[in-house]
Amino acid sequence: MSLAKQLVIALVTLAFTACLAPQNVTMVGVDVRSWSEGATLTVENSDTLSLRNLNIAVRYNNNFKATELPLKIAILAPDSSRYEDIISLPLRRPATALAVATTESLPYRSKVQLSQRGSYHISFEPLSKICGVEAIGVEFREIE
């Protein structure tokens, strides 16, 4: 293949992949049979200037029968400051049977700025025993 063709293919590939927004999702697995204890994940932050939207990602299967997921969320910042919140996430139940697990990313906070460098520890605790949730996590989306 000629150098010109290789260059054209490389440029077209770069153009298409450059349009894709980077995804930053971190998840932690939970007991799918009976999730009742907190699950914690760690997010490393080096960007202290950008504003991002923070979503909660939930992976669940057909054993999850509820329409909402009640949670206590706690965020521990690198300087040991702590923020806690109690929320109920509305989950869209697919109209068809779930042959495989479904993952949803639901809005939690908008225009979040992680103002400190280092490790943020985020914990999720269900407010009651939950069956069918496989994993939970956070997704940071760049604001465009």
Side-chain angles (χ1 to χ4, degrees), residues 7 10 16 52 81 96 132-133 141:
L7 183 59
F16 280 113
R52 295 169 266 188
S81 58
T96 61
V133 172
R141 289 189 176 221

Side-chain angles (χ1 to χ4, degrees), residues 10-28:
L11 289 173
V12 168
T13 303
L14 180 62
F16 280 113
T17 57
C19 296
L20 299 175
Q23 299 295 321
N24 187 0
V25 180
T26 306
M27 296 187 81
V28 61

Side-chain angles (χ1 to χ4, degrees), residues 2 12 15 37 57 89 105 127:
S2 72
V12 168
E37 297 181 10
L89 296 173
S105 182
L127 298 181

Side-chain angles (χ1 to χ4, degrees), residues 32-89:
V32 69
R33 289 172 282 138
S34 179
W35 178 34
S36 60
E37 297 181 10
T40 302
L41 56 87
T42 301
V43 175
E44 295 297 328
N45 182 54
S46 60
D47 181 355
T48 60
L49 300 176
S50 295
L51 293 177
R52 295 169 266 188
N53 290 332
L54 175 58
N55 292 350
I56 304 298
V58 181
R59 181 174 176 84
Y60 60 95
N61 60 36
N62 62 346
N63 292 325
F64 182 76
K65 305 295 185 199
T67 57
E68 293 188 346
L69 179 61
L71 292 173
K72 179 171 120 178
I73 300 174
I75 301 174
L76 181 65
D79 70 352
S80 296
S81 58
R82 185 175 178 89
Y83 174 79
E84 288 189 9
D85 198 6
I86 293 179
I87 64 167
S88 188
L89 296 173

Side-chain angles (χ1 to χ4, degrees), residues 94-111:
T96 61
L98 295 175
V100 295
T102 297
T103 302
E104 289 190 50
S105 182
L106 302 156
Y108 173 57
R109 295 280 180 251
S110 59
K111 298 181 181 176

